[in-house]
């Protein structure tokens, strides 16, 4: 089947956003005197749990004490606002090859979608940062973590993106950076190209059809060949 759409993960795939997420978490923890601080090594481990609220709950479970679910939701809302502020200050750039691939896909009439664990608001903030345009002008479909029952590695968010695209998995290529993301896309029946990021380097991405250091020089004919493989 020929290629009709590209479905992008956000964090780690479009841009190296996780250090901005980590800084936002830590700033909110400090502002509330929580006594939590996530180092790079802590965060590498914690990223196995997708979703910021779920990650905080996992940390609380590991400590055996901490904020209530309602407090976690409130802290996470503050973290989201702070993350958007960081992006508005232009602290994040697109990963190599992302802007060119999106332009090429658009010029060829392919659909463009997002399948992310993070919130629609964070996708909006990132699109304004990378493209200086609203997300809806860059992507035809946005499927986000809180819209589905199970976050990655469950396939739910990819299945939602496919449903909104109105396309079968065989006509789409997923672009991911992490093991959880690759497993989610594979679970939805998608071909996946993985570009490991700062935090996912070293993860087992062997379920991806192809692994590249980044998207620099990656072309639509190569994408087409992957979905036909
Ligand atoms: C990324 C995530 C996200 C971000 C933070 O996963 O797990 O949780 O770290 O986002 P993926 P929120 O790239 O596989 O989608 O705090 O907004 O949840
Ligand atoms: Mg990711």
């Amino acid at each position: 089947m020929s290629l009709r759409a590209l479905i992008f993960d956000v964090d780690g795939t479009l841009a190296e956003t996780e250090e901005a997420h980590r800084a936002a978490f830590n700033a909110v923890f400090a502002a509330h005197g929580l006594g939590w601080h996530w180092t790079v090594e802590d965060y590498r481990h914690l990223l196995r749990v997708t979703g910021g609220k779920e990650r905080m709950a996992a940390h609380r479970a590991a400590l055996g004490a901490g904020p209530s679910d309602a407090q976690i939701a409130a802290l996470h809302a503050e973290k989201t606002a702070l993350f958007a502020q960081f992006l508005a200050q232009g602290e994040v750039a697109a990963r190599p090859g992302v802007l060119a691939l999106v332009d090429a896909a658009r010029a060829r009439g392919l659909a463009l979608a997002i399948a992310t664990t993070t919130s629609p608001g964070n996708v909006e903030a990132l699109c304004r940062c990378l493209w200086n345009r609203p997300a809806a002008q860059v992507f035809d479909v946005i499927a986000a973590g809180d819209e589905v029952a199970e976050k990655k590695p469950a396939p739910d968010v990819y299945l939602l993106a496919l449903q909104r695209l109105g396309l079968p998995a065989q006509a789409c290529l997923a672009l991911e950076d992490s093991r959880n993301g690759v497993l989610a896309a594979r679970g939805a029946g998608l071909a996946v190209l993985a570009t490991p990021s700062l935090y996912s380097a070293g993860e087992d991405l062997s379920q991806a059809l192809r692994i590249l250091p980044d998207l620099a020089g990656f072309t639509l004919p190569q994408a087409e060949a992957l979905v036909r493989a």
Side-chain angles (χ1 to χ4, degrees):
M1 196 176 279
S2 61
L3 180 66
R4 304 272 307 279
L6 300 179
I7 309 179
F8 287 88
D9 166 51
V10 171
D11 293 302
T13 299
L14 293 181
E16 292 282 11
T17 48
E18 289 299 352
E19 279 303 86
H21 281 296
R22 188 174 71 87
F25 278 119
N26 283 332
V28 171
F29 298 159
H32 288 267
L34 211 57
W36 290 9
H37 180 85
W38 290 347
T39 65
V40 168
E41 266 326 296
D42 296 334
Y43 201 60
R44 192 181 305 283
H45 185 74
L46 284 158
L47 272 173
R48 290 180 203 163
V49 177
T50 54
K53 294 185 288 289
E54 292 80 357
R55 191 167 300 137
M56 289 166 70
H59 188 60
R60 176 185 65 192
L63 295 177
S68 67
D69 287 350
Q71 286 168 328
I72 282 180
L75 292 165
H76 187 258
E78 277 186 42
K79 174 260 168 186
T80 299
L82 198 53
F83 176 77
Q85 258 180 49
F86 291 160
L87 294 196
Q89 289 157 14
E91 287 189 14
V92 168
R95 286 193 64 193
V98 166
L99 301 181
L101 184 61
V102 166
D103 280 352
R106 184 58 78 200
R108 187 83 81 77
L110 295 187
L112 290 163
I114 288 290
T116 181
T117 302
T118 201
S119 59
N122 284 352
V123 177
E124 196 60 50
L126 188 63
C127 285
R128 287 181 187 276
C129 177
L130 302 188
W131 283 279
N132 200 21
R133 281 155 63 193
Q137 285 182 19
V138 184
F139 295 98
D140 304 292
V141 158
I142 295 172
D146 284 339
E147 296 184 280
V148 292
E150 296 278 339
K151 292 184 175 170
K152 300 173 187 179
D156 303 25
V157 76
Y158 276 101
L159 293 171
L160 181 62
L162 286 171
Q163 185 197 319
R164 288 179 176 165
L165 282 166
L167 290 172
Q170 295 83 340
C172 306
L173 178 67
L175 298 107
E176 268 291 350
D177 70 302
S178 70
R179 176 171 172 74
N180 280 327
V182 168
L183 294 177
R186 292 295 297 140
L190 287 152
V192 192
L193 167 63
T195 52
S197 57
L198 201 59
Y199 275 102
S200 65
E203 287 185 357
D204 176 5
L205 302 176
S206 58
Q207 296 239 11
L209 219 48
R210 191 149 171 217
I211 303 173
L212 291 174
D214 56 44
L215 292 174
F218 182 71
T219 63
L220 287 180
Q222 287 173 297
E224 183 88 31
L226 282 179
V227 300
R228 286 180 192 275

